[in-house]
Amino acid sequence: MTARAADRARYDRATALLDAPLAIVDLDAFDANADDLVRRAGGKPVRVASKSVRCRALLERVLAKDGFAGVMSFTLAESLWLARSGVDDVLLAYPSADRSGYAELAGDPKLAAAVTVMVDDPAQLDLIDAARAGGREEVRVCLELDTSLRMLGGRIRVGARRSPLHSPAQAAEVARAVARRPGFRLAGIMAYEGHVAGVGDAVAGRPLRSRAIRLMQATARRELAGRRAAAVAAVRAVVPDLEFVNGGGTGSVQHTAAEDAVTEIAAGSGLYMPRLFDNYTSFSGRPAALFAMPVVRRPGVGVVTVLGGGYPASGAAGGDRLPVPYLPEGLRYDPQEGPGEVQTPLLGPPADDLLIGDKVWFRHAKAGELCERFAALHLVAGDAVTATVPTYRGEGHTFL
């Protein structure tokens, strides 16, 4: 029996009394992945990205581990909710226009002490001030540095279009705007190199493309390391007591941790290990989050149909954004249909061994987005479900 077949047997036994659709997290794999992130961070604390987890029970589990400290959130409403729930260090990774949220933040000393918001433009400070509604608490802010690699005088750009702050001088200019503005405190700098941390460098069947990605990423890492160090120095010249410099992501943990200017690492997807993180040469993990759909039809030889399953991930549309049938091994989509909203035909020899009501296990392309589809996660240890915990959705929250 292969390791994957053994996992399937465990998951089927663990959920034998549960009807699909359902989602699980394999705790043994989750914990092993967490330990590997800490190992790769080389002693620097790992701030867990909540967008990639979206389950309070699992955020609490990983924060209880040595090597993890703080949460990186994705909306202001989520940040305030987590802080009210007892998380005392929340870094909001994206700028917000949530005026009511800013009023709540500025009016509550506990929330203001726990939450740091993201800015990259003085106009965002204007919005926060206008939203205070009388609240006088000091608002902690973090600057985001653009990490994109620019070549040929900017005519070629590699990386996400995020912050307008690309140069050290631009970062220092906004730092000065924060420093001279009453009611704000510049606490940190963040720089997320998604073109390194979130792009696999070993694309199956594409050796030339894989080599090109590795060359690009090596160039990007060198360029960013120098520019990030210069930006941090420029900002520290304005705010000497800067508290943190956050960088990285699951795919670049060890590289970013090696930079002296970086004080903490961000990571989250590596806990669940979705399919987009299979194609890396620098690390490997264990798939921890899966969902199961039930077989509801047997249309013919070599074909079964499962209920639903069409859960595409965000990003540029393409086959890599689709979930993959994972267990039993050997199933594939019908190219004329793909995964559907209400039904998904699957082809391959294993189909003939599946009965009506059997489970087919899938892996999502991304991590936390799976939790937008399920109200609960069944936590599996060995071949038993040891707990069932709500996702954000299960707690009544769809923050974005």
Side-chain angles (χ1 to χ4, degrees), residues 30-117:
F30 181 89
D31 290 342
N33 292 337
D35 292 343
D36 189 60
L37 289 173
V38 170
R39 178 190 62 79
R40 290 198 287 136
K44 292 186 177 178
V46 179
R47 184 181 292 272
V48 60
S50 63
K51 182 173 73 71
S52 301
V53 179
R54 303 192 206 195
C55 171
R56 275 201 303 169
L58 290 173
L59 287 174
E60 292 167 0
R61 184 183 184 92
V62 75
L63 286 173
K65 292 179 175 292
D66 291 341
F68 286 87
V71 170
M72 176 177 283
S73 59
F74 61 100
T75 73
L76 182 53
E78 180 213 11
S79 305
L80 300 177
W81 178 64
L82 289 173
R84 287 194 299 269
S85 301
V87 181
D88 61 6
D89 181 5
V90 183
L91 171 62
L92 174 58
Y94 306 88
S96 176
D98 180 353
R99 291 177 173 83
S100 64
Y102 283 129
E104 185 177 356
L105 178 68
D108 187 314
K110 177 184 175 182
L111 297 179
V115 176
T116 303
V117 302

Side-chain angles (χ1 to χ4, degrees), residues 42 82 84 107-108 118 135 161 175 177 181 188 235 269 277 302 317 338 349 361 371 373:
L82 289 173
R84 287 194 299 269
D108 187 314
M118 193 64 60
R161 296 182 181 275
R181 188 137 180 175
V235 171
S269 293
F277 287 85
W361 296 90
C371 294
R373 300 287 184 168

Side-chain angles (χ1 to χ4, degrees), residues 2 31 54-55 69 94 108 111 149 155 169 175 182-183 223 239 242 281 287-288 318 324:
T2 67
D31 290 342
R54 303 192 206 195
C55 171
Y94 306 88
D108 187 314
L111 297 179
L149 175 63
R155 291 190 294 275
E223 186 276 337
V239 183
L242 198 70
T281 57
V324 290

Side-chain angles (χ1 to χ4, degrees), residues 14 147 160 256 302:
T147 65
T256 308

